[in-house]
Amino acid sequence: MSNEEILKAFHLMWDNFPEAVMITQKSREIVAVNKKAAEFGLKAGIKCSTIGKPENHKGCQCNAACDTGEAQFVTYEGKFGKAYGYWIPIPEKPEWIIHFGVGHAFEYKKINRSPSEKSESIHGLTKGTELEPMMAAMAQGEAGGVMMYYALARLAKEQGLNDAAKTFIESANQEAVHAGFYATLNGKYPKDFWQFVAGVAKAEYSGKTKIKELADKVRAAGFDKAADEMEIFAEQEWHHGVVIDELLKKYAPKKIESAQKIFVCSICGYEHVGDAPPEVCPVCGQPASVFKEKVQ
């Protein structure tokens, strides 16, 4: 980026920020200021080190930010209590940094949100509408994207491309969020989800045994390294069940009614409570025919 492009981006980003923000050089000469900084009399061409009392600049991290290329910050007592000072390098211009404080010129009000306050739900908004099949396709596509990006991340790591692997993982995590969003729009999982989650816990516990059995087969085929990792996965599946049970004890409103029927997926172990098994297992996607009624 040219100097002009950097300055344009700076003003677009920072001009309406409620704190003073400036670009300074390592020499401490100010290159640009936002509107709030201009209100305080700061301007390009002067040295920021000449502003105020000399002792106010003892914690300056400008040199550290320029030399390491990494953002620096300090905490200090400001006008409204604890404040923070930041020095952020500009990659395209190593000798320039963005410098600003938070809590220095503007009093931030704390928002006290009640624990019982809930956000507006998007659950099932598209269910039963012409958008439902589109959202279903999007959810499936994004879920596939999670698998793809994590596979690419693994392959990149195997080739020593750790930066590429990190990028793929970030994309996978975003795809996972997207998949959950579309699934929620379609009401794929129940809004009152604790009964459902209890069934998922059963599947997670069952997953340990099933994956361990598969790992044994993989090991018998001569792929010891892959089997070793799968055995770790088996333990992780069990742990998922453990942590879900902890959540159930903490948050679930009530226990399963003993009079209700329980249907168990013979593939993944998911337990469904109701008068009949689901059309499709919400965990592994198998049809209702694989469910067996649990004898209580």
Side-chain angles (χ1 to χ4, degrees), residues 137-147 171-172 174-180 182:
M138 291 297 293
Q140 189 63 40
E142 298 284 7
V146 175
M147 175 177 63
S171 296
Q174 291 170 359
E175 296 282 68
V177 172
H178 303 165
Y182 295 122

Side-chain angles (χ1 to χ4, degrees), residues 63-97:
N63 286 350
C66 289
D67 294 342
T68 65
E70 297 179 355
Q72 308 292 322
F73 81 96
V74 297
T75 61
Y76 60 95
E77 286 303 314
K79 181 179 179 180
F80 307 102
K82 181 175 286 188
Y84 303 83
Y86 294 89
W87 293 260
I88 304 175
I90 300 176
E92 294 83 359
K93 196 76 173 177
E95 69 275 20
W96 286 10
I97 61 159

